Amino acid sequence: DAYSGGFCVCCGKDVDGRPMIWVRMKLSEPSTMSPALVVRNTWLAQDSVLAGSDDGNRNGICFVYDLRGVGLKNVSFDPVAVGSSLWGATSHASHISRVWLLDAPRIFFVAWAACKHFVPSHLRELVRFHSIDADSDAPFDVICPGSELPAYAGGDAARFGGVYSDVMLDRLQRQELAYRPAPVIHSSVVETEWLSASGVTPTQGES
């Protein structure tokens, strides 16, 4: 349900071949999510793009935050909530190689100035701001090839038009997650409960 707003979208790899996590911030409302939920959502997304990919783990993750249309409801000024969310989200065992912030409005710069000290210094150095040129034939070329863009930004709908949560959960089936024990394969009851807690419905013959 946390992904029902559509703020996370399917996409491909950046210009350096790193897996991307692309977020439409105008569709996210921090006030409706607890810090724990924000952390879990972020960790699930990270595990999903890295699932089964040694190269992805070596190259690191590229986060892209599309800030077009962001307003007051899309940012949080609660220092406790922001601090807890950022600390938890950046504590994942993977590493982040780049963070893009696209078309940041003034309200975001105010929020960033108030909360950026919660972000580890090595991650702050990875942050890049980018203004999208609507008249350009390739407005995102500094980030990724056009073929790797999410569908809403002009990418291939056949590749990236799926529901993000469905694609994410499909990738995570049977994956051992760092923050949750792996399913006990020899116990059908335990395994079924673990899959149900993950939001995954076992296929016939698996439970």
Side-chain angles (χ1 to χ4, degrees):
D1 290 344
Y3 287 97
S4 61
F7 59 86
C8 248
V9 291
C10 300
C11 58
K13 296 180 179 180
D14 74 355
V15 291
D16 295 311
R18 297 174 292 214
M20 295 188 294
I21 294 176
W22 197 296
V23 183
R24 302 183 69 183
M25 288 298 293
K26 75 173 185 178
L27 301 180
S28 173
E29 295 187 29
S31 63
T32 65
M33 295 183 285
S34 67
L37 183 57
V38 171
V39 171
R40 187 176 185 184
N41 286 350
T42 306
W43 281 25
L44 285 169
Q46 288 171 284
D47 282 326
S48 174
V49 298
L50 294 176
S53 172
D54 292 337
D55 286 340
N57 278 280
R58 282 191 291 266
N59 296 333
I61 299 171
C62 173
F63 277 87
V64 182
Y65 294 93
D66 185 346
L67 301 169
R68 290 175 292 178
V70 164
L72 282 172
K73 70 176 183 178
N74 307 118
V75 297
S76 174
F77 294 96
D78 180 344
V80 175
V82 171
S84 299
S85 298
L86 289 175
W87 178 86
T90 57
S91 297
H92 190 274
S94 65
H95 73 279
I96 299 170
S97 296
R98 177 69 69 231
V99 179
W100 287 102
L101 303 175
L102 310 182
D103 276 358
R106 183 174 181 180
I107 185 63
F108 181 83
F109 282 108
V110 173
W112 175 250
C115 301
K116 65 180 181 181
H117 63 280
F118 289 115
V119 180
S121 59
H122 71 281
L123 287 182
R124 290 200 300 270
E125 295 172 359
L126 300 175
V127 174
R128 301 289 185 272
F129 289 87
H130 177 62
S131 296
I132 299 171
D133 182 0
D135 296 324
S136 171
D137 292 333
F140 301 98
D141 61 345
V142 69
I143 299 169
C144 68
S147 59
E148 303 298 299
L149 285 168
Y152 86 93
D156 187 350
R159 290 180 66 198
F160 303 124
V163 177
Y164 182 82
S165 57
D166 292 344
V167 174
M168 179 185 71
L169 290 174
D170 182 64
R171 289 176 178 170
L172 290 175
Q173 285 195 55
R174 308 290 179 173
Q175 293 290 324
E176 183 175 351
L177 305 180
Y179 46 92
R180 183 173 55 205
V184 179
I185 302 302
H186 64 267
S187 172
S188 60
V189 174
V190 172
E191 184 177 17
T192 301
E193 290 178 352
W194 183 88
L195 290 170
S196 297
S198 306
V200 178
T201 301
T203 58
Q204 187 174 2
E206 286 186 342
S207 61

